[in-house]
């Protein structure tokens, strides 16, 4: 029984999916308000249940494992899907496919949980596929919009390409070590040519999933074409979960190749930060702007990864939590703006403070956090990432990171200027308010203002990363 409880997160998600099927049979989803209220309550219960004490260990000969760090990462993602559900309330209320949205989102998060708990590379691969395929369907959710269909198609093609590359790397790795369980790979890993080739292809597969330059070309188009709720899911849940797994792959599975991957990660980090920031300057569509912002942010994450230490793991997990709150808040305001004005242009944010001061304040906290402006949590997140990077004495990388901090500050302040200084092109009416969106924005904003002043949180993450 104790071993079965190691699957507690997955069991709860499976129960929620079954509950959706029952609701579908009874057409409960046609009672819009009751259905959405029920789903938000179920997701809240799911999030709270994640904090109950839980045993750790492995099952199925190490195929599935649970640690305190994995439990914490799953709790972060549970918080994310709850907040995304709340910020998407208005869109879901109008959509005919609200039940399918929850079904696909929960199916994807099931794959994410399998991926995080994998102790075997084939289990990891299965989790990656389970988490990706539902997102491609979600990207094509606006069936009447051509750009949504294009987004779904591009995500399918890029995912298929990245999966093929990753699978080829896994095949080479099997040829090199003769077994794909994590323990066997760690024990038999040698820096020979075949292993390095295998690592290169697996790294490229993950780089696609995380939108690392030069594997980022799908990102902006898919973000722009997908519904805002799906873009939100892609930017925080999908990307955050892959970053969590990437830490395990680099630090544990390929820890013996540290000398080989350290410089590769540094180069990818520099490219991602710089290209992401430079292209973000040219964007006028809010979703494309946040797409290139996410590429830049993952470049900063790689600075922390380059630390190759417990502090590296700690700073990355800590930063992903902050990034999740920042991006969900930003997409929440963009969603409210799109619902009110029908526009996703950054130009439509001009004069927002005068007409909708609270939404402008929510947005500015999110943007300051993404930029790393003190005392918002993003400042502490980037501070720890850079400090972690210093452990490897990669001073050129740190120099580029410093320059990119200035570039990103310019990008985010440009939007702040639109909201607080520029005059509105057209008068923005009061935004459509709903309680769910307000709750989500308040939670994100309080989190971003408070996290930096809770040192116990960072210490706790450091403690579970050490185990």
């Amino acid at each position: 029984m104790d071993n079965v409880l190691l699957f507690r997160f997955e069991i709860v998600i499976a129960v929620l999916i079954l509950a959706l099927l029952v609701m579908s049979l009874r057409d409960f989803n046609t009672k819009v308000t009751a259905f959405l209220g029920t789903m938000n309550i179920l997701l809240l219960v799911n999030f709270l249940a994640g904090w109950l004490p839980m045993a750790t260990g492995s099952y199925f000969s190490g195929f599935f494992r649970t640690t305190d760090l994995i439990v914490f990462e799953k709790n972060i993602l549970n918080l994310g899907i709850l907040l995304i559900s709340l910020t998407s309330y208005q869109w879901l209320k109008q959509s005919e496919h609200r039940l399918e949205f929850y079904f696909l989102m929960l199916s994807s998060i099931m794959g994410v949980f399998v991926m995080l708990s994998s102790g075997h590379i084939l289990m990891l691969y299965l989790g990656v596929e389970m988490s990706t395929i539902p997102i491609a369907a979600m990207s094509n959710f606006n069936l009447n919009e051509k750009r949504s269909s294009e987004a779904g198609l591009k995500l399918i093609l890029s995912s298929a390409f990245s999966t093929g590359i990753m699978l080829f790397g896994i095949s080479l790795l099997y040829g090199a070590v003769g077994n794909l369980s994590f323990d066997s790979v760690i024990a038999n890993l040698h820096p020979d040519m075949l292993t390095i080739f295998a690592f290169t292809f697996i790294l490229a597969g993950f780089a696609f999933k995380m939108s690392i330059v030069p594997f980022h070309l799908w990102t902006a188009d898919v973000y722009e074409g997908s519904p805002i709720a799906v873009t939100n899911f892609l930017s925080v849940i999908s990307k955050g979960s892959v970053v969590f797994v990437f830490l395990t792959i680099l630090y544990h599975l390929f820890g013996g190749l540290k000398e080989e991957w350290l410089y590769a990660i540094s180069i990818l980090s520099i490219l991602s930060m710089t290209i992401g920031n430079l292209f973000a300057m040219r964007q006028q569509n809010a979703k494309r702007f946040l797409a290139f912002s996410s590429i830049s942010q993952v470049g900063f994450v790689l600075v922390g990864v380059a630390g190759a230490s417990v502090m590296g793991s700690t700073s990355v997990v800590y930063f992903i939590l902050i990034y999740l709150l920042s991006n969900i808040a930003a997409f929440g305001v963009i969603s409210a703006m799109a619902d009110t004005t029908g526009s996703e242009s950054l130009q439509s944010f001009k004069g927002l403070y005068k007409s909708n001061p609270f939404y402008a304040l929510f947005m500015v906290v999110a943007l300051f956090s993404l930029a790393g402006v003190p005392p918002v949590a993003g400042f502490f997140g980037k501070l720890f990432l850079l400090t972690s990077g210093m452990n490897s004495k990669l001073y050129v990388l740190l120099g580029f990171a410093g320059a990119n901090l200035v570039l990103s500050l310019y990008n985010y302040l440009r939007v702040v200027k639109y909201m607080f200084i520029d005059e509105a092109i057209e008068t923005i009416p009061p935004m459509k308010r709903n309680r769910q969106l307000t709750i989500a924005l308040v939670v994100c904003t309080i989190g971003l203002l408070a996290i930096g002043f809770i040192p116990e949180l960072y210490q706790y993450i450091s403690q579970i990363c050490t185990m």
Side-chain angles (χ1 to χ4, degrees), residues 28-98:
F28 184 62
N29 56 309
T30 56
K31 301 170 184 174
V32 180
T33 306
F35 172 73
L36 293 177
T38 303
M39 287 310 302
N40 286 329
I41 291 172
L42 290 176
L43 290 177
L44 176 61
V45 171
N46 172 51
F47 169 64
L48 295 176
W51 293 101
L52 295 174
M54 183 168 177
T56 58
S58 61
Y59 201 34
F60 292 133
S61 303
F63 266 70
F64 189 93
R65 62 202 175 89
T66 296
T67 65
D68 288 332
L69 177 60
I70 291 173
V71 170
F72 185 75
E73 290 169 346
K74 289 179 179 178
N75 280 325
I76 291 176
L77 298 174
N78 274 338
L79 173 64
I81 60 172
L82 171 62
L83 292 174
I84 288 172
S85 175
L86 291 172
T87 55
S88 310
Y89 183 84
Q90 190 62 34
W91 175 72
L92 289 168
K93 199 173 175 181
Q94 297 168 350
S95 173
E96 297 176 1
H97 307 291
R98 61 189 73 85

Side-chain angles (χ1 to χ4, degrees), residues 83 87 328-333 336 358-359 362-363 436-446:
L83 292 174
T87 55
I328 289 178
F331 275 112
V333 177
F358 285 105
Y359 281 101
F362 289 136
M363 189 68 169
Q436 292 77 8
L437 175 61
T438 305
I439 291 172
L441 291 176
V442 168
V443 169
C444 291
T445 303
I446 291 175

Side-chain angles (χ1 to χ4, degrees), residues 32 36 84-102 104-105 137-143 145 148 225-233 287 331-332 335-336 338-339 344 432 434 436-437:
V32 180
L36 293 177
I84 288 172
S85 175
L86 291 172
T87 55
S88 310
Y89 183 84
Q90 190 62 34
W91 175 72
L92 289 168
K93 199 173 175 181
Q94 297 168 350
S95 173
E96 297 176 1
H97 307 291
R98 61 189 73 85
L99 185 137
E100 289 84 351
F101 173 81
Y102 281 109
L104 291 170
M105 183 172 74
M138 291 162 70
S139 297
N140 188 26
F141 233 64
N142 288 338
L143 300 176
E145 291 188 16
S148 185
S226 303
I228 292 175
V230 179
T231 308
N232 204 350
F233 186 88
K287 288 195 288 187
F331 275 112
S335 175
D339 288 337
E344 295 173 355
K432 298 173 184 175
N434 63 71
Q436 292 77 8
L437 175 61

Side-chain angles (χ1 to χ4, degrees), residues 222-244:
V222 173
Y223 273 40
E224 183 183 7
S226 303
I228 292 175
V230 179
T231 308
N232 204 350
F233 186 88
L234 267 170
S235 72
V236 294
I237 304 297
S238 180
K239 182 167 288 189
S241 60
V242 176
V243 169
F244 290 149

Side-chain angles (χ1 to χ4, degrees), residues 5-201:
L5 289 178
L6 295 178
F7 292 90
R8 193 179 73 195
F9 282 90
E10 290 75 17
I11 291 172
V12 173
I13 294 297
V15 169
L16 290 180
I17 292 174
L18 287 174
L20 278 174
L21 291 175
V22 173
M23 291 180 196
S24 174
L25 291 174
R26 295 184 173 277
D27 289 332
F28 184 62
N29 56 309
T30 56
K31 301 170 184 174
V32 180
T33 306
F35 172 73
L36 293 177
T38 303
M39 287 310 302
N40 286 329
I41 291 172
L42 290 176
L43 290 177
L44 176 61
V45 171
N46 172 51
F47 169 64
L48 295 176
W51 293 101
L52 295 174
M54 183 168 177
T56 58
S58 61
Y59 201 34
F60 292 133
S61 303
F63 266 70
F64 189 93
R65 62 202 175 89
T66 296
T67 65
D68 288 332
L69 177 60
I70 291 173
V71 170
F72 185 75
E73 290 169 346
K74 289 179 179 178
N75 280 325
I76 291 176
L77 298 174
N78 274 338
L79 173 64
I81 60 172
L82 171 62
L83 292 174
I84 288 172
S85 175
L86 291 172
T87 55
S88 310
Y89 183 84
Q90 190 62 34
W91 175 72
L92 289 168
K93 199 173 175 181
Q94 297 168 350
S95 173
E96 297 176 1
H97 307 291
R98 61 189 73 85
L99 185 137
E100 289 84 351
F101 173 81
Y102 281 109
F103 186 82
L104 291 170
M105 183 172 74
L106 291 174
S107 300
S108 179
I109 203 72
M110 174 72 90
V112 165
F113 286 174
V114 169
M115 183 172 67
L116 287 174
S117 286
S118 55
H120 193 284
I121 292 184
L122 291 183
M123 190 82 168
L124 172 67
Y125 175 75
L126 183 66
V128 169
E129 289 306 294
M130 282 177 64
S131 64
T132 303
I133 293 172
I135 304 175
M138 291 162 70
S139 297
N140 188 26
F141 233 64
N142 288 338
L143 300 176
N144 298 323
E145 291 188 16
K146 181 181 175 184
R147 64 174 188 168
S148 185
S149 300
E150 289 177 353
L153 184 61
K154 284 178 181 174
L155 190 53
I156 281 284
L157 292 177
S158 61
S159 296
F161 187 56
S162 65
T163 298
I165 289 175
M166 188 186 297
L167 201 54
F168 183 61
I170 292 172
S171 304
L172 293 179
L173 184 64
Y174 182 75
V177 301
N179 196 310
L180 290 178
S181 75
F182 282 10
D183 292 339
S184 294
V185 171
I186 293 168
N188 299 304
L189 196 71
H190 301 290
D192 52 39
M193 190 58 71
L194 183 58
T195 306
I196 291 174
F197 265 120
F199 169 72
T200 303
F201 282 103

Side-chain angles (χ1 to χ4, degrees), residues 348-377:
S348 63
F349 281 78
K350 287 185 174 180
L352 181 66
Y353 178 69
K354 292 179 181 174
S355 58
N356 293 273
F358 285 105
Y359 281 101
L361 289 173
F362 289 136
M363 189 68 169
V364 79
V365 172
L367 293 174
F368 276 0
S369 182
L370 289 169
V373 175
V376 186

